[in-house]
Amino acid sequence: MHLLRVESRSIDGIAGAMDLAQTPADIVALSFSDTDLAVLAAAWETDKGTLPSLRLASLTALRHPYSIDRYAEKVLSKARFVLVRLLGGMDYWRYGVDEVSALARSSGFHLAIVPGDQREDARLDEASTVAPAALRRIGACFAAGGVENMAGCLRFIAGEIAGAPASTAPAIELFDSPPADPFGLFPVAMRPAAPGAASALIVFYRTWMTAADTDPVVALGNELSARGFRVTAVYLTSLKDPAAIGPLRALLRAERPDVILNLTAFSARSDHGGSVLDEADAPVLQLALSGGDHAQWMQSQRGLGPADLAMNVVLPELDGRIIAGAISFKGEIQRHDALQFTRLVHQPEPAGVRYAADLALAWARLARTPRAERRLACVLSDYPAKAGRTGYAVGLDTPRSVVRIAARLADEGFSVAPPNDEATLSAALSAGPSNPVLSLSDYDRLLAALPARFVEQLRSAWGDPEGDNYVEDGWFRFRVVRAEDLLIAVQPDRGRPVSRKADYHNALLPPRQGYVAFYLWLRMIERVHAVIHCGTHGTLEWLPGKATALSESCAPRAV
């Protein structure tokens, strides 16, 4: 078999057989975390004259059983000490743990497998060959973080190799510098905010700060600041760490942020339900710092691979987070020839960062606008059923739902005049006069601000907007019911009337010009604060683009 040495990551997370082409060394350190590997590399550089030789490798590249077997034969079997930091526990690398544990006992090298958190793991203790006290010391060094502490970890490992007697002294005595605080403020470059400006809070992992891997945080802070926010950024060990929860809770009470942008992964729910971020009573945007490659993401229809999807979408959704896409991807920046290791860091995705900042501004604008001044739109789905009823949605009486929504809004203090009844509303939306809402000249101006790739696809599929069925006398016209500050309309057809049902589900067909004009009108002309999509089916989900972590050219985001 020909094996290729590969450094990039698969967007789908599918492990292929590969050969890392490394030569043996005294110490081998493996981790899923690029931050772990980067800090170990920096720590070795500080004292490389006295430390044993070192190899670093990502467990992401060692997922395929053949890759593990090959690496074990060529590198691990000739090592004197193998360190594995296993985020997620034994089951995330079960074959590797079993094989490396057996190899350590047959080849005689020291093996330390430590969990990715501070909790003890009996299965990893049993798989290791070093004493539990040594495992706790190594785990404490990672928990403390920082280059100096990791250099102390490497010196401790060097002592284990040399046969130095194990000490029962507390792990803290190993540290060359005190552990980094579990919570702290992080300065991001920003311009001064105006008095009374909206406040945005960025939350990210301490490990990125100690590894100097914070470019996405700085980029996000700059974009928020450019939109007038007063920006605060904080690092922490985990949203479940009691040592970090206390000071974060105090900050939330003092700052009262209008919006929170959370860059930490997983769910932060406690055993009692909810997390500390819920105490802010503010929208929490969940942003993904993907472990994948930017070029692969651009070409992928999936968007995020399984690991990113689980960590940055599925689990945060359990906390009620607003999933706001990816703002960075991993990229190579530095090759350590002596370690045969290429450092990967988070590299900002500018369009994703801008989108996150715009979304934060929209939520802050909504919250700071009095209810009586909020402009809303209620868009009915229009599934092309045989009955042909306007606003039809499978399993839902949409006209009656809209009437009740409007009544509830009026009761809650919004400037809404509820329709008299669903029959009157249905008649207006199906047979009432259409209203000229957007001129072709204004449409061309607004369209020019959308991503060029999306506009090219739109024109290629549909030609010039003058021929769209919704255009009459130079204007896009739609049936719209104005209930004071609530606009009610049926979502326009995304395709051709003659093939309406087939086009509805065609995930490769860009939406027609009238569809795009409708949403540009709501956003840019009416400047609605929020849209309520009412119906069990809507066509936004069928538009061309990625399944998750949309790019700016994906039709749902562009529209």
Side-chain angles (χ1 to χ4, degrees):
M1 179 186 293
H2 174 70
L3 294 177
L4 178 66
R5 177 181 175 275
V6 178
E7 294 288 355
S8 62
R9 310 295 181 84
S10 165
I11 194 71
D12 293 324
I14 299 173
M18 62 180 67
D19 187 343
L20 299 186
Q22 288 184 350
T23 58
D26 295 319
I27 304 173
V28 179
L30 310 173
S31 176
F32 281 117
S33 168
D34 295 313
T35 301
D36 286 351
L37 302 175
V39 177
L40 281 167
W44 186 85
E45 287 285 348
T46 64
D47 204 12
K48 58 185 176 183
T50 60
L51 287 172
S53 58
L54 175 66
R55 295 289 177 267
L56 302 171
S58 172
L59 290 172
T60 304
L62 297 172
R63 299 294 293 270
H64 194 285
Y66 191 88
S67 302
I68 297 170
D69 293 344
R70 184 74 168 170
Y71 192 73
E73 176 190 356
K74 294 180 60 178
V75 181
L76 299 182
S77 65
K78 300 175 178 61
R80 302 175 67 188
F81 196 107
V82 174
L83 165 62
V84 182
R85 188 169 191 241
L86 200 51
L87 279 72
M90 184 171 180
D91 292 325
Y92 274 70
W93 201 54
R94 181 61 179 266
Y95 179 82
V97 171
D98 291 342
E99 292 300 305
V100 175
S101 180
L103 183 63
R105 285 162 173 81
S106 63
S107 297
F109 60 79
H110 299 276
L111 175 62
I113 309 179
V114 297
D117 52 35
Q118 284 294 86
R119 291 177 292 185
E120 296 182 7
D121 189 322
R123 293 196 298 170
L124 298 185
D125 288 356
E126 184 179 353
S128 303
T129 63
V130 301
L135 295 175
R136 306 297 175 260
R137 286 185 168 218
I138 293 171
C141 288
F142 279 98
V147 173
E148 295 85 355
N149 291 318
M150 294 315 302
C153 180
L154 291 176
R155 285 193 288 273
F156 173 72
I157 290 174
E160 289 283 301
I161 293 174
S167 170
T168 58
I172 191 66
E173 294 186 9
L174 289 171
F175 301 149
D176 293 300
S177 64
D181 290 334
F183 173 90
L185 295 175
F186 178 78
V188 290
M190 63 190 74
R191 65 191 69 181
S199 172
L201 174 66
I202 303 173
V203 181
F204 68 99
Y205 283 124
R206 185 190 67 179
T207 53
W208 302 342
M209 187 268 297
T210 57
D213 189 8
T214 56
D215 283 356
V217 179
V218 174
L220 181 60
N222 283 333
E223 289 292 341
L224 291 167
S225 183
R227 285 157 180 75
F229 277 104
R230 177 170 53 86
V231 185
T232 302
V234 299
Y235 62 82
L236 44 71
T237 49
S238 166
L239 285 169
K240 288 189 172 183
D241 183 355
I245 290 174
L248 176 58
R249 176 178 287 121
L251 178 74
L252 293 175
R253 291 173 177 171
E255 292 285 330
R256 300 185 62 82
D258 292 86
V259 62
I260 299 172
L261 299 100
N262 182 37
L263 277 58
T264 70
F266 305 102
S267 168
R269 289 174 65 87
S270 68
D271 294 338
H272 305 292
S275 81
V276 62
L277 295 183
D278 298 329
E279 299 176 20
D281 191 26
V284 182
L285 306 186
Q286 182 71 32
L287 304 175
L289 275 66
S290 172
D293 174 80
H294 182 270
Q296 292 174 333
W297 167 74
M298 286 295 292
Q299 297 169 6
S300 168
Q301 288 302 301
R302 175 178 290 181
L304 292 180
D308 280 335
L309 182 65
M311 293 187 298
N312 296 300
V313 177
V314 177
L315 292 174
E317 280 186 335
L318 296 176
D319 297 357
R321 304 294 172 244
I322 301 165
I323 308 303
I327 63 168
S328 80
F329 295 87
K330 285 296 182 71
E332 301 177 359
I333 63 163
Q334 184 179 0
R335 176 70 181 174
H336 292 271
D337 291 330
L339 304 178
Q340 300 178 12
F341 162 73
T342 300
R343 185 184 179 192
L344 296 175
V345 299
H346 297 108
Q347 297 182 340
E349 205 286 306
V353 174
R354 292 194 299 270
Y355 173 77
D358 286 340
L359 193 59
L361 185 63
W363 278 99
R365 172 176 172 250
L366 174 64
R368 289 190 163 219
T369 302
R371 286 187 175 185
E373 298 175 18
R374 293 179 187 174
R375 300 180 59 80
L376 309 175
C378 190
V379 179
L380 283 68
S381 65
D382 195 29
Y383 190 72
K386 293 180 180 179
R389 178 163 58 85
T390 298
Y392 178 79
V394 177
L396 180 73
D397 187 338
T398 50
R400 177 172 294 184
S401 299
V402 172
V403 169
R404 292 189 176 183
I405 289 170
R408 175 67 179 271
L409 288 170
D411 290 342
E412 296 287 345
F414 291 83
S415 296
V416 173
N420 293 329
D421 54 68
E422 54 264 30
T424 302
L425 176 63
S426 294
L429 293 176
S430 60
S434 59
N435 305 293
V437 300
L438 185 66
S439 69
L440 285 173
S441 59
D442 283 341
Y443 174 71
D444 286 339
R445 173 179 56 83
L446 297 176
L447 195 65
L450 298 185
R453 181 181 176 189
F454 170 76
V455 176
E456 291 171 3
Q457 294 171 340
L458 182 68
R459 294 191 185 279
S460 176
W462 298 103
D464 294 330
E466 289 83 354
D468 191 271
N469 286 6
Y470 288 101
V471 173
E472 182 180 338
D473 297 329
W475 286 79
F476 284 97
R477 304 176 68 95
F478 304 103
R479 291 189 176 97
V480 180
V481 172
R482 290 185 178 268
E484 293 191 21
D485 285 342
L486 174 67
L487 302 174
I488 306 172
V490 175
Q491 190 175 55
D493 283 339
R494 60 159 296 194
R496 308 167 185 84
V498 294
S499 53
R500 188 169 182 244
K501 192 165 187 176
D503 288 350
Y504 189 103
H505 299 95
N506 187 345
L508 300 178
L509 179 68
R512 61 189 293 173
Q513 302 272 12
Y515 188 102
V516 177
F518 176 79
Y519 280 100
L520 287 176
W521 164 65
L522 286 180
R523 287 168 45 203
M524 309 306 295
I525 303 301
E526 293 291 340
R527 296 193 61 79
V528 296
H529 292 84
V531 176
I532 304 167
H533 279 96
C534 186
T536 52
H537 283 276
T539 49
L540 280 172
E541 66 189 272
W542 293 104
L543 300 186
K546 304 180 189 303
T548 55
L550 306 182
S551 73
E552 64 177 348
S553 297
C554 291
R557 178 167 292 184
V559 169

